[in-house]
Amino acid sequence: MDLLFDLGNSRLKWAGWEQGDLIQPAAAAWRGRQPAEFCSSVLAAALFLQPPRRVAIAAVARGDVLSALKTAVRARWGIEAWLAVPTARCGRVRNGYSDPAQLGFDRWAALVGAWERRPDTPAIVVDCGSAVTVDGLRADGQHLGGVIFPGLDLMAEAFYARTGLAGGQAAGGRDVAATSTADAVAAGAYMAVLGGIEHAVRTLCQRLPGSEIWLTGGDASALASVLSLPATVQLAPDLVLEGLGQILAREGQ
């Protein structure tokens, strides 16, 4: 069995990978935690995976937490974790960036994951995390490209950082007639994310008739029921891990 990690800007997700299936996927928030202690606790909680054959990491976040994760894997199992990078192609899926290395690996892996679930079917992949990404994939596996914009928390944080206003604690409502600044900012970020996703998806649907829409990322479940989209939405919270597993399976072939 292999062990897969998806290191995002706020959460770490992991799962076993065997014969094309994820085994016991899980996740934990790493922000605000001491990196070495956090990574050691994650590996201790994954004892059922011991010892993995290979370890692969899809990393958006870098720095101390990535170093701590690689060090913890090496210390526990004597394995050098493989840090996956985007390539020009994976099987029939082809990277649409002029410089393939600049595409975020989470986006690349999610595209591969969507393709492996439904080959020869056009797809629109929406990843709702700290940042939101929307990417189009043709039925022949050609990535069209996509868009990136801030997610719910990042959008609100950016507003407060640029205006200097005190953040405060939002009551949790998302009413268009909010009666406090904290609630107004939270509601505005929520509506902006919904509107951004809906507009991007509708535009891509015009270029990719018959597309399936794949929704993944930490905020995917919360947004799935309120998005107004022109096609059936497939909720796939672990699509990046699935794609990473497929890419790892092809490594060295």
Side-chain angles (χ1 to χ4, degrees):
M1 183 185 298
D2 296 322
L3 175 57
L4 310 177
F5 289 102
D6 173 14
L7 179 57
N9 286 310
S10 57
R11 295 200 310 160
L12 176 67
K13 302 171 77 172
W14 65 92
W17 176 258
E18 190 168 36
Q19 298 181 348
D21 292 318
L22 294 179
I23 310 298
Q24 298 188 28
W30 62 264
R31 283 207 174 275
R33 303 280 300 275
Q34 200 281 329
E37 179 183 316
F38 169 76
C39 293
S40 294
S41 69
V42 165
L43 297 192
L47 287 176
F48 71 96
L49 293 166
Q50 191 180 61
R53 186 167 64 96
R54 295 177 295 181
V55 177
I57 304 174
V60 174
R62 299 298 175 107
D64 291 347
V65 67
L66 175 58
S67 296
L69 180 58
K70 295 170 71 175
T71 298
V73 168
R74 188 184 309 115
R76 190 173 192 89
W77 295 308
I79 296 173
E80 289 297 329
W82 178 60
L83 183 61
V85 296
T87 54
R89 66 183 302 142
C90 178
R92 291 176 59 196
V93 182
R94 301 184 302 283
N95 193 323
Y97 267 32
S98 55
D99 179 358
Q102 288 191 359
L103 180 67
F105 186 83
D106 54 338
R107 295 167 66 192
W108 178 235
L111 288 164
V112 172
W115 173 266
E116 292 293 340
R117 282 202 179 196
R118 289 296 301 274
D120 305 309
T121 303
I124 298 169
V125 180
V126 183
D127 192 336
C128 308
S130 297
V132 176
T133 61
V134 185
D135 284 277
L137 187 67
R138 286 193 330 216
D140 65 358
Q142 178 63 54
H143 172 222
L144 296 186
V147 298
I148 307 172
F149 51 92
L152 293 171
D153 293 339
L154 186 57
M155 194 172 296
E157 290 169 7
F159 172 84
Y160 288 120
R162 290 296 297 271
T163 62
L165 293 174
Q169 183 65 43
R174 288 166 173 166
D175 193 336
V176 71
T179 55
S180 74
T181 298
D183 284 341
V185 171
Y190 176 73
M191 293 173 192
V193 167
L194 289 182
I197 292 172
E198 290 170 358
H199 181 74
V201 169
R202 290 180 187 278
T203 302
L204 281 171
C205 278
Q206 294 173 4
R207 302 187 189 186
L208 297 167
S211 291
E212 290 193 343
I213 301 169
W214 299 92
L215 198 63
T216 191
D219 290 326
S221 297
L223 296 174
S225 62
V226 293
L227 284 166
S228 177
L229 299 174
T232 301
V233 174
Q234 307 285 344
L235 190 59
D238 298 310
L239 199 58
V240 172
L241 285 173
E242 291 178 30
L244 175 60
Q246 296 291 348
I247 292 167
L248 179 63
R250 288 184 170 87
E251 178 68 10
Q253 292 183 358

